[in-house]
């Protein structure tokens, strides 16, 4: 199959590279010339484990190419995927579809022969109808079918997710388009990935429903964590106790600073708007959005409280800035709100992140960036683990303790619960986790 991928961001680049690796011939098109030049020079514009090697190998095999110009690749393609961004629209939070519609207009003029135009971007219900209208209006003679194929990959595990998906959702009512899509994903039949073929609107909504459900699961355990702190229970054990129930499952039950990233915040918001417009408000999702929003800033207050009620003049060291490990993505990361909250309260913030500091510098110029975790902790009054990078899971607590402020027990605020409260206490830290009551920490320390 010949495939054109419009947009070479996280989704377009990973999907394009994986589809090439399946044996298809893929051209990724991006409107940013620097991005394309960098890809053609073998440099990845994003950090994603394994991506550089996958791209290099498929470019070498002649199955993957990068261009800024769209017409030739689209004219030759059996399937054209739209994988451009759909950020929150300023003002009302609905998905900004301007990139999708621009891409549709550009594609329309270049179509030749039967082509399936596939929306891979996360788009609100009915967007496929509008994409189809745009294309038919611009090119009435085109032999085209517009399908939906939402993407469920996770940053940090994107290649594995794309190659071994739990399911593939294809939204089309057209047998020819379905046949093309089945051919695109044929290599995955070997892994027995279920293909769910639905109508277009159902596929579009399925993506939002999945993200809203996962966001709700995270928010649920975060609220349970708050309750645990008040009543002397341990959220880690509560999560395990409910997660072992097969009806619930253990994933997305890790209490923390609130969800962030390029998808959950904007997608939950867009779903709320879609539902309001449809006259069927999703009260549960509205609450999830509100609770999560206030939680990020609340984490700054949590740090301040752990520091005895004031951080004015104190140095607070943050480990991890990206919204999750194994990515350099800073979009809507909880660290942004936490840093702002701490700086507003008069703290001097120092930070270290293994991959995210380039992006972070642009967003948070007043932060002092360190070379590594220990340099970050040097002389600090409190150390806050914001993102659970593997590199932070087995820090030398003794060295860390000695590196930090020489005052009384320095504070370790573990927003991901990756350390055992008792051993942190043994190393001389005043430990503060999420959903782990002081009583529990004291009990397990004794
Ligand atoms: N990032 C994720 O983990 C993830 C997961 C699943 C779904 N999604 C969805 O996939 C879509 C893309 O997300 P992303 O994170 O890859 O975005 P991104 O911002 O990383 O990439 C989008 C790319 O599209 C390019 N672009 C925009 N308009 C273009 C045009 N007309 N022609 C050519 N290139 C164009 C941009 O230059 C950019 O490089 C979004 O709808 C998102 O919600 C993202």
């Amino acid at each position: 199959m010949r495939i054109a991928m419009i947009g070479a961001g996280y989704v377009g680049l990973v999907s394009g590279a994986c589809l090439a690796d399946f044996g298809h011939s893929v051209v990724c098109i991006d409107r940013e010339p620097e991005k394309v030049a960098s890809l053609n020079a073998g440099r990845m514009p994003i950090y994603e484990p394994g991506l550089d090697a996958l791209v290099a190998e498929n470019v070498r095999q002649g199955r993957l190419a990068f261009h800024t110009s769209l017409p030739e690749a689209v004219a030759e393609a059996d399937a054209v995927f739209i994988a451009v961004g759909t950020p929150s629209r300023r003002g009302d939070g609905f998905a900004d579809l301007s990139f999708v519609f621009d891409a549709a207009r550009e594609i329309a003029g270049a179509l030749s022969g039967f082509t399936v135009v596939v929306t891979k971007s996360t788009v609100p219900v009915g967007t496929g109808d509008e994409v189809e209208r745009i294309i038919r209006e611009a090119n009435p003679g085109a032999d085209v079918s517009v399908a939906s194929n939402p993407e469920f990959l996770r940053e940090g595990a994107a290649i594995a997710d794309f190659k071994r998906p739990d399911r593939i959702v294809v939204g089309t009512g057209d047998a020819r388009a379905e046949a093309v899509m089945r051919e695109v994903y044929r290599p995955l039949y070997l892994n027995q990935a279920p293909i769910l073929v639905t109508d277009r609107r159902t596929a579009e909504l399925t993506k939002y429903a999945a993200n809203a459900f996962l966001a709700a699961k995270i928010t649920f355990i975060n609220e349970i964590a708050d309750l645990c702190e008040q009543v002397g229970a341990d959220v880690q054990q509560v999560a395990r106790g409910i997660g072992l129930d097969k009806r619930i499952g253990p994933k997305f039950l890790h209490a923390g600073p609130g969800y962030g990233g390029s998808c959950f915040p904007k997608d939950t918001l867009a779903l709320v708007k879609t539902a309001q417009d449809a006259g069927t408000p999703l009260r549960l999702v509205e609450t999830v959005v509100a609770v999560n929003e206030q939680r990020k800033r609340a984490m700054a207050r949590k740090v301040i409280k752990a520091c005895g009620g004031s951080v004015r003049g104190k140095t607070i060291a943050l480990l991890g800035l990206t919204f999750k490990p194994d990515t350099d993505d800073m979009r809507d990361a909880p660290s942004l709100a936490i840093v702002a909250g701490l700086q507003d309260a008069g703290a001097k913030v120092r930070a270290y992140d293994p991959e995210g500091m380039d992006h972070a510098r642009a967003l948070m110029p007043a932060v002092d960036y360190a070379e590594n975790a220990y340099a970050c902790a040097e002389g600090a009054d409190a150390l806050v683990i914001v993102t659970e990078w593997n590199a932070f899971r087995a820090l030398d607590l003794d060295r860390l303790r000695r590196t930090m402020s020489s005052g009384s027990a320095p504070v370790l605020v573990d927003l991901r619960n990756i350390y055992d409260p008792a051993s942190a206490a043994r190393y001389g830290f005043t430990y503060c986790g999420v959903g782990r009551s002081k009583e529990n920490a004291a009990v397990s320390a004794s």
Side-chain angles (χ1 to χ4, degrees):
M1 292 255 117
R2 299 187 77 85
I3 292 170
M5 183 70 64
I6 316 300
Y10 272 93
V11 166
L13 181 53
V14 171
S15 309
C18 289
L19 290 170
D21 209 45
F22 292 167
H24 300 306
S25 173
V26 180
V27 180
C28 290
I29 291 131
D30 203 285
R31 54 157 57 151
E32 283 182 26
E34 316 81 57
K35 196 173 266 188
V36 171
S38 150
L39 283 163
N40 279 324
R43 286 190 307 274
M44 296 303 104
I46 52 168
Y47 174 76
E48 180 64 40
L51 186 61
D52 44 2
L54 186 75
V55 167
E57 176 58 15
N58 283 282
V59 168
R60 200 175 64 79
Q61 298 281 350
R63 292 189 297 254
L64 181 62
F66 302 99
H67 291 300
T68 47
S69 162
L70 167 154
E72 197 183 325
V74 167
E76 289 177 356
D78 303 296
V80 179
F81 285 82
I82 300 177
V84 300
T86 48
S88 283
R89 191 162 65 189
R90 272 182 196 282
D92 66 358
F94 195 73
D96 177 353
L97 296 172
S98 58
F99 300 105
V100 173
F101 296 152
D102 280 357
R105 271 180 220 103
E106 291 170 48
I107 291 165
L111 291 167
S112 162
F114 177 63
T115 315
V116 186
V117 174
V118 191
T119 320
K120 195 163 247 328
S121 300
T122 302
V123 292
V125 173
T127 303
D129 301 359
E130 186 60 14
V131 168
E132 181 164 356
R133 195 195 60 74
I134 289 170
I135 294 176
R136 295 209 184 284
E137 198 174 281
N139 187 348
D143 188 10
V144 66
S145 186
V146 176
S148 162
N149 172 220
E151 182 50 57
F152 297 94
L153 63 76
R154 293 163 301 163
E155 290 179 18
I159 295 170
D161 281 355
F162 193 92
K163 289 191 168 180
R164 282 185 292 282
D166 291 338
R167 79 306 207 183
I168 297 152
V169 175
V170 172
T172 179
D174 176 351
R176 283 197 301 169
E178 183 180 331
V180 168
M181 294 305 286
R182 286 192 182 278
E183 189 58 26
V184 166
Y185 286 109
R186 195 167 54 84
L188 291 181
Y189 294 167
L190 298 172
N191 301 346
Q192 301 192 316
I195 293 199
L196 183 67
V197 180
T198 68
D199 62 76
R200 204 161 57 195
R201 287 178 167 245
T202 302
E204 289 168 338
L205 187 56
T206 302
K207 171 66 188 175
Y208 281 99
N211 275 2
F213 189 85
L214 294 172
K217 212 172 165 189
I218 294 171
T219 305
F220 174 81
I221 202 67
N222 283 341
E223 288 207 308
I224 293 289
D226 289 349
L227 181 59
C228 284
E229 287 176 13
Q230 293 308 315
V231 300
D234 185 334
V235 75
Q236 300 284 100
Q237 292 178 30
V238 173
R240 187 162 156 75
I242 62 174
L244 284 169
D245 185 327
K246 289 191 181 64
R247 294 168 301 177
I248 297 173
K251 298 200 172 145
F252 287 78
L253 282 182
H254 300 287
Y259 61 78
S262 65
C263 292
F264 286 2
K266 78 172 175 64
D267 293 347
T268 44
L269 209 54
L271 181 60
V272 161
K273 299 291 169 195
T274 299
Q276 284 168 354
D277 286 353
T280 49
L282 295 177
R283 302 256 183 256
L284 193 59
V285 185
E286 286 173 10
T287 304
V288 165
V289 170
V291 169
N292 191 67
E293 203 40 48
Q294 68 83 31
R295 183 171 187 83
K296 297 182 198 175
R297 180 92 179 180
M299 292 299 107
R301 293 197 295 276
K302 185 180 179 75
V303 174
I304 295 167
K305 194 170 165 208
C307 290
S310 170
V311 289
R312 186 157 300 281
K314 291 186 176 164
T315 298
I316 312 294
L318 261 57
L319 294 184
L321 295 171
T322 52
F323 83 95
K324 65 190 279 194
D326 288 328
T327 178
D328 59 354
D329 203 334
M330 284 294 301
R331 288 178 278 187
D332 270 314
S335 64
L336 298 167
I338 297 171
V339 167
L342 292 172
Q343 288 176 333
D344 288 350
K348 184 170 175 297
V349 177
R350 196 186 298 137
Y352 169 70
D353 186 281
E355 296 292 337
M357 292 202 292
D358 284 350
H359 292 308
R361 272 191 189 94
L363 297 164
M364 299 182 289
V367 167
D368 179 17
Y369 293 92
E371 289 279 291
N372 58 52
Y374 299 101
C376 186
E378 210 171 303
D381 298 281
L383 184 72
V384 186
I385 298 171
V386 182
T387 314
E388 69 281 29
W389 285 86
N390 273 339
F392 302 150
R393 287 178 183 273
L395 292 168
D396 179 341
L397 291 185
D398 190 38
R399 182 177 165 197
L400 213 52
R401 163 75 184 82
R402 283 184 283 110
T403 308
M404 289 176 69
S405 162
S406 54
S408 62
V411 174
L412 175 59
V413 183
D414 181 2
L415 296 181
R416 301 291 181 168
N417 289 344
I418 59 178
Y419 280 95
D420 171 38
S423 53
R426 266 199 304 278
Y427 280 99
F429 286 99
T430 302
Y431 179 87
C432 170
V434 174
R436 297 164 138 184
S437 69
K438 283 221 167 51
E439 290 81 353
N440 274 347
V443 167
S444 43
S446 61

